[in-house]
Amino acid sequence: MNDPIRWGILGASNFAQRDMAPAIHAARGNVLSALATRSPDKAAPFADLVPGLRIHDSYDALLADPQIDAVYVPLPHTMHIEWGLKALDAGKHVLVEKPVAMHADDIAPLIAARDRTGLIAAEAYMIVHHPQWHLVRELLADGVVGRLRHVEAVFTYDNSGDPANIRNRAATGGGILPDIGVYTFGSTRWATGAEPDAITHADLDWEDGCDVLARVSARFPDFTAHWVNSMRLLPEQFVLFHGEAGLIRLTAPYNAARFGEAWVEWRGRDGVTHTRSWPGVDQYVLQVEAFAAAVRGEAAFPWTLEDARGTQKVIDMAYAAAGDRPVS
């Protein structure tokens, strides 16, 4: 049996504590070995999860730890490229939280460093590891909906009561499109294998330099898409793939098991409705296991930095089409 992949986490973020640290701890063939934080209070929940966890008081110290194979980077968005590059230069495989960068062109140095070092570097885009999305991709490829004509995707939540949240701060790469526009935009791209020709409509609401509500429409070669993302609306998420001969609907496409049970429904002209669900599947655990398989050379990681760059390009296009980003 292969030795487990030994992980370190840069920063004790709430998301790392709630989702990724437990996922690393639960994933087969992986162990959470170290955390970098100067705050004993923030380190405590991680140490409770993994007794004996090594706590480093700086990110550089963790990267210098010879007992770390892979590093997870959940830092503010504007720090992802910097510390992803440092992790690769330190000889560590690196899983960078989304979005990898604030602009598509900024991802090029990380791709170059990945290729130069031969290490695995990828974006933590957990939805492509969930079997519901693999089913949707197969159904579309098999022509279950006939000719696909439209995709409707909604992902919203409300963090208006948390002004200190990095998503509400322009200086830390805040904004709704970097945070969850990656999911509505990226899932459409990944499921269909298509790229948009143009953004046909982009209406963004801004607060303190951050986009907080986005309504974006795109034209693809064979279909249209409309995406709604917000951090000022009641939580909701769904995706609808609507074709001439059928449709596919996902009711918890992005936060499966957190927002609701993963559930895919599809039907055709015969009116017969088919459903499938995946109770108990943790896409974060699957993501860690897939990353470890890539490190061991057992399988390709299903979401590359090039995939991440493609989605960021669409986000860049949406901002350009909106044309009203406040000057900071």
Side-chain angles (χ1 to χ4, degrees):
M1 180 177 178
N2 292 317
D3 292 332
I5 303 301
R6 301 167 297 179
W7 286 82
I9 298 178
L10 295 186
S13 73
N14 291 333
F15 178 77
Q17 176 191 330
R18 186 188 70 232
D19 292 293
M20 280 300 291
I24 294 169
H25 187 56
R28 294 169 298 174
N30 295 266
V31 294
L32 179 55
S33 297
L35 170 74
T37 179
R38 293 190 180 93
S39 170
D41 290 341
K42 290 184 178 180
F46 293 85
D48 290 342
L49 175 69
V50 184
L53 184 73
R54 295 191 303 282
I55 307 298
H56 295 289
D57 63 3
S58 73
Y59 303 153
D60 287 316
L62 186 145
L63 295 183
D65 187 336
Q67 298 183 64
I68 294 297
D69 304 307
V71 173
Y72 169 59
V73 182
L75 300 171
H77 303 159
T78 52
M79 301 172 69
H80 290 172
I81 291 293
E82 174 189 359
W83 287 98
L85 289 170
K86 288 182 177 180
L88 290 173
D89 288 341
K92 315 297 186 186
H93 304 282
V94 61
L95 183 64
V96 181
E97 193 47 63
K98 57 78 193 165
V100 173
M102 300 308 298
H103 302 282
D105 291 345
D106 296 342
I107 302 175
L110 196 62
I111 293 174
R114 176 203 64 190
D115 294 345
R116 171 175 51 81
T117 61
L119 296 165
I120 302 298
E123 182 182 56
Y125 196 65
M126 75 290 183
I127 66 168
V128 300
H129 305 280
H130 198 290
Q132 68 172 339
W133 279 104
H134 289 267
L135 174 62
V136 168
R137 205 179 195 192
E138 292 168 8
L139 292 173
L140 289 170
D142 290 344
V144 167
V145 304
R147 182 186 177 195
L148 178 65
R149 299 307 309 273
H150 185 69
V151 178
E152 191 78 20
V154 170
F155 189 5
T156 64
Y157 64 90
D158 184 2
N159 70 355
S160 57
D162 186 11
N165 191 297
I166 62 170
R167 296 158 187 82
N168 286 317
R169 298 170 58 201
T172 51
I176 199 60
L177 291 185
D179 187 39
I180 58 174
V182 295
Y183 293 122
T184 51
F185 294 17
S187 62
T188 303
R189 294 179 55 250
W190 194 77
T192 64
E195 301 292 345
D197 292 325
I199 300 297
T200 57
H201 177 77
D203 183 8
L204 277 57
D205 291 358
W206 299 86
E207 292 180 14
D208 299 322
C210 294
D211 49 307
V212 298
L213 172 57
R215 317 147 189 91
V216 179
S217 298
R219 178 165 292 282
F220 287 73
D222 297 315
F223 62 91
T224 56
H226 181 236
W227 303 304
V228 176
N229 294 106
S230 182
M231 52 186 179
R232 293 295 184 270
L233 295 179
L234 187 75
E236 175 62 299
Q237 54 186 268
F238 68 84
V239 181
L240 175 67
F241 295 91
H242 207 157
E244 292 180 344
L247 56 83
I248 304 168
R249 189 188 311 272
L250 297 87
T251 58
Y254 306 123
N255 291 135
R258 270 68 167 180
F259 179 77
E261 183 176 328
W263 187 276
V264 174
E265 174 185 296
W266 68 98
R267 60 182 168 88
R269 292 191 187 278
D270 60 5
V272 177
T273 297
H274 307 268
T275 61
R276 187 170 177 186
S277 62
W278 292 264
V281 170
D282 190 321
Q283 59 192 353
Y284 297 105
V285 171
L286 295 178
Q287 175 177 249
V288 174
E289 292 177 348
F291 191 88
V295 168
R296 296 190 178 102
E298 298 168 352
F301 199 68
W303 184 259
T304 67
L305 290 176
E306 287 81 0
D307 291 322
R309 181 172 60 184
T311 295
Q312 187 60 51
K313 180 180 177 181
V314 182
I315 292 174
D316 293 348
M317 291 167 61
Y319 279 134
D324 60 354
R325 178 190 286 272
V327 178
S328 57

